[in-house]
Amino acid sequence: MMKKLMTIAGLVLAIAIGTLASAECGEAQRVEIDGAVGKLSAVIQKPTLAANQKCPMVMLLHGFMGSKTNRPLTDIADALEKEGIASIRFDFNGHGESEGDFRNMTVPNEIEDAKRVFAYVRALDYVESVSVAGHSQGGVVSSMLAGELGKEDVKSVVLLAPAAVLRDDAIRGRIFNAVYDAANPPEVVPVFGDFKMGRAYILAAQTLPIYETAQKYAGPVCLIHGTGDRVVPYTYSERYHSLYKDSELHLIDGADHSFSHFEDEATAIAVTFLKKNAKAE
């Protein structure tokens, strides 16, 4: 058990710290967007466009304790730019360079953050369509955002190791190596390092309609998951796949939750899908 907990802690550290890498090449622009509880720090990458030329935009959503500088999201942004597709990466409230306290972060207020970012990019004069791609908890947010907005607004969706397990974990009273009373959660649960999860997060997660909301989305979906994921078993992506009307599932043999050493493969799958499905018809 101790070995398993240490393994999980190591994976979390890789997500929060070890995967930090940003190759902000080409035309990158740092912007601030009003989020659910404060300013969101974001980076837009876009290809060089002629006058009045438009291109697709992909929103890239990081996971729990992550940031906009995590791989493979930065890799996907760079690859999309080379394919003539813009992207926006942003820190959710309480993460990275964005405002807010991590202890007040919940999945519902992250969905509201994502809606604010969606409205921002949809109003840009060079954006012809908007797709969304998310990793881990960012995958859950992406799936629920798409379910709420529908295929008329969200052109396509990529979910990388989507953490639908978060509801089950909240009901069980467990988050990584922290255990708590699920029936009466404490005000704060230490998670990892300086990260402390708030009671509001737990209560919201316990009744979160993840799959019920996600399955309302009728557009194309790409699911990417590692068979070696010990944080979110790949069976959670298999369930997503069974519920969607139009989805493809890619299991990467041996890949862990953060796709360590498999970033290129995950990036290639995501970008190939987005090249096909993100562009306006």
Side-chain angles (χ1 to χ4, degrees):
M1 175 61 73
M2 181 59 66
K3 182 177 181 181
K4 180 178 179 181
L5 293 179
M6 290 176 66
T7 300
I8 292 174
L11 285 171
V12 175
L13 184 62
I15 296 168
I17 301 173
T19 59
L20 298 186
S22 181
E24 293 172 8
C25 60
E27 189 175 347
Q29 177 188 8
R30 298 183 69 88
V31 298
E32 284 192 341
I33 300 169
D34 289 328
V37 296
K39 297 287 185 181
L40 302 176
S41 174
V43 173
I44 294 176
Q45 284 181 238
K46 69 183 183 73
T48 301
L49 301 173
N52 300 319
Q53 183 182 0
K54 294 180 180 291
C55 70
M57 169 68 74
V58 178
M59 293 170 53
L60 300 172
L61 281 57
H62 68 75
F64 186 85
M65 299 193 301
S67 81
K68 63 180 179 297
T69 60
N70 289 158
R71 296 183 71 192
L73 299 185
T74 52
D75 298 345
I76 293 172
D78 291 339
L80 288 174
E81 183 182 342
K82 294 175 182 177
E83 297 295 339
I85 300 173
S87 66
I88 183 167
R89 294 175 280 119
F90 66 97
D91 296 326
F92 281 111
N93 71 87
H95 291 78
E97 298 177 308
S98 289
E99 295 179 347
D101 188 328
F102 185 83
R103 286 176 289 187
N104 298 326
M105 175 273 301
T106 66
V107 174
N109 66 35
E110 285 200 346
I111 294 173
E112 181 59 30
D113 280 343
K115 287 180 178 178
R116 303 286 184 91
V117 174
F118 174 85
Y120 179 90
V121 296
R122 196 69 189 90
L124 296 174
D125 59 9
Y126 62 86
V127 172
E128 67 178 16
S129 64
V130 180
S131 292
V132 61
H135 173 246
S136 193
Q137 182 165 292
V140 170
V141 174
S142 296
S143 71
M144 296 182 71
L145 174 73
E148 290 187 18
L149 297 182
K151 66 177 183 178
E152 295 76 16
D153 286 324
V154 178
K155 192 71 174 59
S156 58
V157 175
V158 175
L159 306 179
L160 299 112
V165 69
L166 66 86
R167 176 175 174 174
D168 294 338
D169 285 346
I171 292 171
R172 284 192 292 258
R174 180 181 295 275
I175 176 72
F176 301 123
N177 60 340
V179 179
Y180 55 87
D181 181 0
N184 184 28
E187 288 300 317
V188 174
V189 176
V191 179
F192 192 84
D194 293 331
F195 289 96
K196 295 178 175 63
M197 182 174 65
R199 187 169 189 267
Y201 178 95
I202 298 166
L203 295 178
Q206 288 177 344
T207 59
L208 198 65
I210 298 174
Y211 290 116
E212 296 89 338
T213 303
Q215 68 180 343
K216 296 176 183 178
Y217 181 70
V221 179
C222 175
L223 293 146
I224 308 170
H225 216 125
T227 62
D229 192 337
R230 298 295 178 263
V231 177
V232 181
Y234 67 84
T235 51
Y236 284 89
S237 277
E238 289 183 324
R239 183 176 177 188
Y240 266 115
H241 182 48
S242 71
L243 294 174
Y244 280 124
K245 300 177 178 68
D246 179 12
S247 66
E248 54 187 60
L249 172 62
H250 299 267
L251 297 179
I252 300 180
D253 189 35
D256 63 19
H257 187 59
S258 57
F259 297 98
S260 303
H261 310 298
F262 292 88
E263 294 95 345
D264 290 348
E265 187 172 347
T267 296
I269 294 169
V271 173
T272 297
F273 175 84
L274 290 166
K275 280 172 58 181
K276 178 182 176 182
N277 295 285
K279 295 183 179 180
E281 297 175 350

